[in-house]
Each structure stands twice: as structure tokens, then as C-alpha cells.
Amino acid sequence: MKPHPNSLCVAADGLNLSPHDCLLVGDSVTDVVAAKSVSARSVGYANRVEKVQKLADAGADAVVTTLEPLALAVAGD
């Protein structure tokens, strides 16, 4: 369970990557804490307005309020 990073390490290992080379998108402070604990980057998804500052304060590398920018980035647009 987060913030323990085991699931992140298992996912990275399954992709033959270091967690440092991964990005976690999550909607909770514990997601950000887990990512930081293994030097992964994180995007906080603030699906409620009160989460914006909490995710930023937790150290998310970026905070978004919609997943559209991420979907466009993955699509290459």
C-alpha cells in the first residue's frame, strides 16, 4: 500500500526500467510520496480543487486539473 513504493518498483522492473526513469500520475499525496521515495517523477492529478495545493506541497513535479494535457502528450499532439 502506498506510500510504500513496492508497486512502483514492481512496475518499473516489469518494464526493465529504473524507477528514476518512470513517471507516476496519481491523485493523492501518498502517490507523490511513493514516487519521491524511489526518485520517480510525479504528476499530481487534482480532480478536486482542494487537491491542487496539497499535491504541490507534497512535491509533485507538476499538478494538472484535467488529464487532457497528459493524453495529448502521450498521443504526440
Side-chain angles (χ1 to χ4, degrees), residues 45-64:
Y45 170 48
N47 53 0
R48 295 192 313 262
V49 70
E50 63 271 12
K51 288 186 176 184
V52 172
Q53 193 61 51
K54 290 178 183 179
L55 292 166
D57 290 346
D61 294 290
V63 177
V64 297

Side-chain angles (χ1 to χ4, degrees), residues 11-61:
D13 188 55
L15 295 168
N16 293 317
L17 295 171
S18 163
H20 176 76
D21 295 322
C22 296
L23 171 76
L24 172 73
V25 178
D27 68 347
S28 70
V29 167
T30 57
D31 292 329
V32 175
V33 171
K36 289 177 68 74
S37 74
V38 292
S39 299
R41 306 218 43 203
S42 64
V43 173
Y45 170 48
N47 53 0
R48 295 192 313 262
V49 70
E50 63 271 12
K51 288 186 176 184
V52 172
Q53 193 61 51
K54 290 178 183 179
L55 292 166
D57 290 346
D61 294 290

